[in-house]
Amino acid sequence: MLKILKYSFYDLMRSRWSYVYFLFYLILGFVLLFLNNDVDKAVITLMNIIIVLTPLIGTIFGVMYYYNSKEFTELLLAQPINRSKIFMGQYLGISISLTLSLVLGLGIPFVLYGLFKSTAIFNFSLLLVVGAFLNFIFVALSYNIALSTENKIKGFGYAILMWLFLAVIYDGIFLTFLVVFNSYPLDKFSLAATMFNPIDLSRILILLKLDISALLGYTGAVFRKFFGTNLGMMISMGVLMLWVMLPVLRMNLKLRKKDF
Amino acid sequence: MKYKIGLFFFFIAVAVSAKQIVVCESCSVKTIKEAIKMAQAGDEIFIKKGIYFENDILINKPISLIGEKGTLIDGRNKGGMLFLETNNIKIKGLKIINVGLSYTIEYAAIKVIKGNDFIIEECILENVFFGILVEKSKRGIIRNNKISSNRKNEASSGNGIHIWSGEDIKVYNNEMFGLRDGIYFEFVKNSLVHNNVSHNNIRYGLHFMFSNNNVYHHNEFRNNGAGVAVMFSKFTTMHHNKFRLNWGSASYGLLLKEIYDAEIYDNLFEQNTIGINAEGSTRINYKNNTFLRNGWAVKISGACYTNIFTKNDFMNNSLDLAYNSNINDNKFDNNYWSEYTGYDLDKNGIGDVPYRPVKLFSYIVNKTPEALILLRSLFVDIINFSEKVSPVFTPDDLLDNKPLMKRAITNIDTQRND
Amino acid sequence: MIEFKNLHKKFGKLVVLDGLDLNISKGGIFAILGPNGSGKTTLIKCLLGMVIPNKGEIIFDKKSVLRQWAYRNNLNYLPQIANFPPNLTVLEIINMVKNLRPKDSNSEELIELFGLKTSLDKKLGNLSGGTKQKVNIVLTFMFDSDLIVLDEPTNGLDPIALIHLKSIIQKEKEKGKTILITTHIMSFVDEVADEIVFLLDGKIYFKGTVDALKKQMNNDNLEHAIANLIAKQYA
């Protein structure tokens, strides 16, 4: 698996898109910090970008890599290697190279700016951790979609639709539901609904640091416990890990029956 | 002239005749009560270090009560401690602990009743019910004290410095924590509260009720149940205070309720659930305040007229402004909003497009608090944008027409440290 | 050497392999032929473990191959379409495949033979289809395995490379290897194949030597013989 990972990783690290992605974050980091001079604000803007863009890029890279390397994967499948190792290798290769682009692209400007002296270091690290999680989750989800869809165009379509759904539509339905049923106690429901969407979950994780003063304005006891203690942080992290593990598990199950 | 010289000699005579009574375990005077009984006007009672178990110490002569370092008066949770019932009493350097708790009587470590011109300084009051309780008194000074308790709920706790009906009182350099209200003023006029630190109190750091013409400045209020409350008061001036980390469902840095003609300037509101919550507040000027990372920087609910916000910095608050109606009689002008995305083509430092501080999302959250969980999501950004383009739910005329491009207060750190 | 027993495979409603039985003995070149959709590629992919049969058994070297992977170390496969990660170089892909198989290889010889030396440092994404196919062939033949599976090996090759390919195939045969080939080029089959396995509707329709087929069909031309075979079926 490590060998496959290594070559997928090399391949991606040399791809033009990895550089574009890396440069995008690099420029973004510099622009936010040096034109703005406010680390807090930079972190907020970055959060907005990371929770929307990282999933999109992860999704696109995932399906693109799968379909583009289909024939090569067939060559690998004829080699004496376990199937699931081939795909896990590719999956980790993509996720790690994307995460590296993110961490280096944003990390360099922040380090140059003097982040280590700033109090925002924790918020910033959390942002990178969440970004990494989103990469791993959305590459896994898109691989699942690609594995289940033979047709490349359809696969792309489904993947983008999934992203659109989780990034925008889900919240729209969620908010509508909250507004329509606002005479009922909704705190448990809204926490649960958050857990079912990795983008919302990542957002909450960052909000716990950035907007805790607002979140503590809630009256519900469940909320108070969730936001007011470390419980929220721990549960969110745990569920994010589940969000990585379940698609990976499904990928492996699918692979057992999959014909190439 | 002759009269003046006579007065001078009179004072000398008093000074010479004023004697010091020393209290200690091995002295001839062993208890404070005994010493007070012996003392005459102008005398000083010096209490040497040691533990004194006394309650209900009544002082009805203009004398000084001074403690050595290490002097401790323990009330063993039985009732009140010192009662100051005449003018010109000075209390200094005492440590008083374990004041009794009662649900009917306001027991205090030091209670001043109709005593003008008192001074209470450098005292440490621990595990008190009420700390310093002043009733119907004028021209007192309360300074450099440290008052604390460890109470868990409002009913079983008292206030640190509680003044009921007073005038010209100065309260400064004190620290209050673990109490119900750090400082409580009711029917107090022309008084000054400055350089105090009031933190971790169950209810308010500072609480004004029916108190007019007071000034408080350079105080710090943090981690209190609900920050500072100014209610039913007129002509209050608040400046250079720090309101920080007041978190909770009904928590704010500053609560303004039924107040008129106040000046609020150069304050810092940092990481409060609500920076300022204004209800029924009229003719208030907010200037040069910094709102940093609050849940809501300002929440305006019900009958607030002619509030003017100028040159304030709204920095990275979750929501800048919440309004519960769509009628607006308040003015926002020349503030800095960190969320402002407009441009300044003529380079005059003022944005060319007005800023709308009330978001649609803030309106939704007002109606459905749970919706807050969607803060900063892409969908919310989209609906906020559409509301910005054509306002339907939020007050149409609520605009900052001249938003600043750069912060009004250039260096927040100097503000933090002064 | 290879034994397919009662092999069934359906893709959705489409039956591709329908109780196929086939024995392939060790040594020799076997051409697997059949019209489009007859199940040639599926059969090979089952053997490679890329397609998982619904029912049946495949024995390779006396062991079942289903859900196994280690047996593939004794098997070389030339896929139909050569498409490699575009950002790796030729040398890297060769080293990578070597790296994946704990086996000796004779890649230098083959690189020389197909004139790939000058292309070693080029990225795979920049190669022409023919050159990619050459790389593909090098990757397939550089290991010494008992079974070699070639899926349309002549695709995109220039005549010289084709001659080289034929000679390699002959050499491997002489070493006693078993070689399975699918192709549409009948002249190629006529030239190299020892035996023909003809698939139709997911079953073995004919299995025997080239000469036996020609004799049975009374036709000296293989192409026509095959055509007759199919025509007879549908008659």
Side-chain angles (χ1 to χ4, degrees), chain A residues 38 40-41 44 47-48 168 171-172 174-175 178 182 194 203-204 209-211 213-214 216-219 224, chain B residues 247-249 271-273 293 295 315-316 318 338 367-379 383:
Chain A
D38 177 2
D40 276 340
K41 193 178 170 186
I44 289 172
M47 182 200 94
N48 285 324
V168 187
D171 290 348
F174 188 1
L175 186 62
L178 288 178
N182 77 357
T194 306
R203 197 170 44 75
I204 286 298
K209 285 291 141 203
L210 283 183
D211 295 282
S213 15
L216 284 172
Y218 274 129
T219 38
R224 311 226 76 198
Chain B
W247 288 352
S249 55
Q271 291 200 55
N272 303 290
T273 294
R293 295 184 58 192
M315 304 283 303
N316 306 326
S318 303
S338 66
K367 308 233 156 195
T368 314
E370 285 87 353
L372 189 63
I373 207 161
L374 289 163
L375 182 70
R376 298 194 197 286
S377 86
L378 184 56
F379 183 78
I383 58 168

Side-chain angles (χ1 to χ4, degrees), chain C residues 2-38:
Chain C
I2 312 167
E3 213 181 330
F4 299 90
K5 285 184 198 160
N6 191 28
L7 213 56
H8 287 262
K9 180 68 194 176
K10 276 196 278 189
F11 290 114
K13 278 183 182 167
L14 183 71
V15 178
V16 180
L17 296 179
D18 188 14
L20 182 139
D21 286 292
L22 176 64
N23 260 308
I24 287 178
S25 52
K26 193 170 161 57
I29 301 172
F30 298 83
I32 298 175
L33 304 177
N36 293 336
S38 60

Side-chain angles (χ1 to χ4, degrees), chain C residues 54-66:
Chain C
N54 300 118
K55 211 169 119 186
E57 182 65 276
I58 302 169
I59 310 283
F60 175 65
D61 261 350
K62 300 181 187 90
K63 273 177 248 158
S64 170
V65 306
L66 296 177

